[in-house]
Every structure is written in C-alpha cells, then in structure tokens.
Amino acid sequence: MAVLLQQDGTARKRSLALDKQRGRTHASMPGFVVAETINGKVKLRARHWGYSFTELLWMSILDILLYLPKEVIFHNCSIQMGLCEVFATYIRLIAIQRTLQGDGNTARIKQKFTSILAAFRDFNPSAWNIWIKDKISDVDEWGEVGYVLAWNGIDLVAPADLPPDSANN
C-alpha cells in the first residue's frame, strides 16, 4: 500500500485538465524560479513528491483500513508488515501539502487519517508509544512522528509525550 501511495504522490508530466478529470489534486505554486545557465536564463517550476495526488485513492485506502477489525489492523503483526510505513506516507503527504499552503487539499484525508490514528493509539498503546517516538524514513530531520503529527495539527499526542527539544522547533 505504501508503494502505491508513494507512486501516486510522484510528480508526473501530464495534462492538468486530464488530471482534474481523473480526480488528481495539485498544490498551487504561483510563478516560476529563474535559473541562470551557460545558455541564458531558464524559468523553472519545481514539482516534487506530494505536489499532486489522487484524493480518491488515498481516501479509499483509509476506508479499507477502517473497515478491517481493529484486532487485525492494529495487531503487532500488521505493524511488522508495514502499517506504520503506510501511516508515514500519509504524514509526508499532509506535511508537504501544508508547506505548499495546500492544507485544504488534504482536509478530508487528514480528518479520516486522524480517526484511524486515534483508533491505533487506543487499541495498541504500546505500539503507538513506540511509533510516535520513531522518525519517518527519508525525512528524519523533521523529528519524531509525534512532533510531526502535532506540527500538522493532528493532536493525538499529549505535550508531555513529546521530546523536550521538539517544542523549540
């Protein structure tokens, strides 16, 4: 699942009109960056992972996860099979859209994602406590998962659970 979501969040060169028909959401990035090359100036518009995504796909995966019994989805076996990697992919998308000022693009995803995280916290507190103190691969510099969740407005972690240095970031 995480691989499917990561592929969907990858920037691709396609027609915006066609993407809109297919339900793809794009962050708005006004203007261009001007780069100086040996051949002169070039206008660039950077698009990186998380700039665009298909909301229906992301919502559907959350629906599937929410449909499964809590005993299955939040069992330690599911955690070992990559459930937290799927959750980390959602966090990356929400955080990147936030930095692109596209909070509205992920509002529905964030709401549903928050409810599944609350269920995870309540059903398997020991796995939850380990996970919120972990870091997301590829973006370790963001800090612990609990801090990144709080920074993105997903307040499922009590301030006492956050590391002391993360309050200053």
Side-chain angles (χ1 to χ4, degrees):
M1 275 191 254
V3 172
L4 176 65
L5 293 172
Q6 289 168 3
Q7 288 174 348
D8 182 66
T10 303
R12 301 178 209 149
K13 183 175 178 155
R14 282 203 225 159
S15 160
L16 286 178
L18 181 61
D19 275 356
K20 290 234 185 247
Q21 286 177 343
R22 293 181 177 168
R24 249 177 111 67
T25 303
H26 299 277
S28 60
M29 294 178 63
F32 293 91
V33 176
V34 178
E36 191 76 38
T37 69
I38 58 172
N39 296 323
K41 292 182 180 181
V42 179
K43 287 184 179 179
L44 300 172
R45 179 174 288 159
R47 291 189 181 150
H48 53 80
W49 189 92
Y51 168 81
S52 58
F53 64 96
T54 309
E55 182 186 35
L56 183 59
L57 172 68
W58 291 73
M59 292 290 286
S60 296
I61 289 177
L62 288 175
D63 286 336
I64 291 166
L65 292 174
L66 285 167
Y67 184 74
L68 294 170
K70 290 180 175 97
E71 295 82 12
V72 173
I73 191 63
F74 302 125
H75 191 273
N76 288 334
C77 184
S78 297
I79 308 289
Q80 292 171 357
M81 292 179 64
L83 180 65
C84 291
E85 285 80 11
V86 173
F87 290 166
T89 306
Y90 277 90
I91 293 170
R92 286 178 63 211
L93 177 71
I94 292 167
I96 288 170
Q97 284 289 314
R98 180 173 183 237
T99 61
L100 295 171
Q101 299 173 343
D103 295 56
N105 295 340
T106 55
R108 291 180 349 131
I109 292 171
K110 186 175 164 182
Q111 182 179 19
K112 194 167 281 199
F113 182 58
T114 301
S115 66
I116 198 168
L117 289 180
F120 175 30
R121 179 198 59 202
D122 297 343
F123 191 81
N124 192 341
S126 61
W128 168 264
N129 288 327
I130 291 168
W131 180 62
I132 62 166
K133 292 181 175 95
D134 201 0
K135 293 188 177 184
I136 300 170
S137 64
D138 299 331
V139 287
D140 306 25
E141 66 275 6
W142 287 1
E144 294 180 357
V145 169
Y147 172 73
V148 179
L149 287 172
W151 183 77
N152 284 290
I154 300 173
D155 299 321
L156 296 171
V157 183
D161 294 337
L162 292 175
D165 64 332
S166 65
N168 299 328
N169 291 340

